[in-house]
Amino acid sequence: MNKQAFVTAILAALAVVLAAVGVLCGSVYGVATDEALYGSQSRQAVAQMLGTQEDAAVTAYIGLDAAQQQEIATSLAQYMGSDGELPQALDLLNERERAHLADVRGLMALCGAARTVCISVAAVLAVAAAWMGAMFAHRRSSVLAGAAGGLCVLALIAAALVLGMRTAGFEGLFVGMHELLFDNDLWLLNPDTDILIRMMPQTLFERAAVDVIRQSAGVFVLVLVLLGVVYDVMSGMIGRHFTNRRGQEC
């Protein structure tokens, strides 16, 4: 593989990896700004944790009935997707809970920005790969090799996460993620005093993780198809440009 083919393959690999990161960030943002997570899904998770189908038991545990929780769920979803002040409906949360929500909202803002930036850069890299590969034969093989390499990197990361899950369990990974993402201990909430932790047991986060993975997989395939279309269109346009240019020079 010559240098030009190697660079083309690297660009394709980076495009695939960045697309995956962007899609994952977008899925996290989408789940975190969905009021169902804090409302109906929360109550289902609490019912499962308590081993009951009685809504009264869920209400007694959380300290909120379904209507009260839905009001909070709507405000939470809006707050996670905005840069405004804490909604009035969330005033019943204590200072520690409100501070943690502000930290989480900051992470969601980063996820939203990363989604846009990563997918945009992936598209730019697809164009760059088309430009680099426009003038040599078998350029598709270099692009496919690079894309395959990017997918292999993603597969290795996924395998490492699965191994970590089997070793430490979901709770271990969950705690490790919080220790990595937050520079304080505000996420260590107390079910005796904090509504948020009663609303969001571990079961809820496990379901949310599954939703993120499911959504990411579907959208990732779509993004890869779109990147392939971008590459094909730009490769054809650039190839015709160079062909016409050579014809004019002759």
Side-chain angles (χ1 to χ4, degrees), residues 9 26 31 86 99 102 124 160 226:
V31 169
L86 195 75
V124 171
L226 292 176

Side-chain angles (χ1 to χ4, degrees), residues 16-232:
V16 169
V17 172
L18 284 176
V21 172
V23 167
L24 178 62
C25 289
S27 296
V28 170
Y29 181 86
V31 169
T33 55
D34 182 1
E35 64 183 67
L37 176 69
Y38 313 106
S40 59
Q41 293 178 16
S42 165
R43 296 185 75 82
Q44 291 170 7
V46 171
Q48 180 180 346
M49 181 191 70
L50 296 176
T52 181
Q53 296 296 322
E54 296 293 331
D55 191 64
V58 175
T59 294
Y61 177 79
I62 297 176
L64 301 168
D65 62 29
Q68 292 171 321
Q69 186 169 350
Q70 184 56 46
E71 182 179 5
I72 289 178
T74 301
S75 297
L76 269 174
Q78 292 173 347
Y79 182 62
M80 287 297 117
S82 74
D83 56 359
E85 297 295 325
L86 195 75
Q88 187 174 0
L90 301 180
D91 286 348
L92 58 81
L93 302 179
N94 61 43
E95 183 178 352
R96 186 180 183 87
E97 290 174 295
R98 293 196 296 269
H100 179 54
L101 284 179
D103 289 342
V104 174
R105 185 178 67 166
L107 287 177
M108 292 308 103
L110 287 176
C111 282
R115 170 192 57 190
T116 302
V117 171
C118 288
I119 294 179
S120 297
V121 173
V124 171
L125 291 175
V127 174
W131 182 273
M132 287 293 299
M135 294 306 295
F136 69 89
H138 307 298
R139 56 184 176 272
R140 284 184 180 275
S141 61
S142 296
V143 171
L144 291 175
L151 291 173
C152 286
V153 170
L154 296 175
L156 288 173
I157 294 173
L161 289 175
V162 170
L163 180 60
M165 180 79 73
R166 289 183 176 180
T167 303
F170 182 86
E171 183 177 0
L173 285 181
F174 187 75
V175 170
M177 180 189 69
H178 277 70
E179 291 175 341
L180 177 66
L181 294 177
F182 299 106
D183 60 0
N184 55 55
D185 64 354
L186 294 174
W187 55 275
L188 292 171
L189 300 177
N190 185 346
D192 293 330
T193 58
D194 303 321
I195 293 175
L196 282 181
I197 191 64
R198 298 199 298 271
M199 281 178 56
M200 292 183 277
Q202 180 176 315
T203 304
L204 180 64
F205 288 103
E206 291 174 354
R207 292 183 179 182
V210 171
D211 287 342
V212 166
I213 293 171
R214 184 185 299 115
Q215 291 180 25
S216 296
V219 176
F220 181 54
V221 171
L222 177 60
V223 170
L224 286 184
V225 171
L226 292 176
L227 288 177
V229 171
V230 169
Y231 171 81
D232 279 339

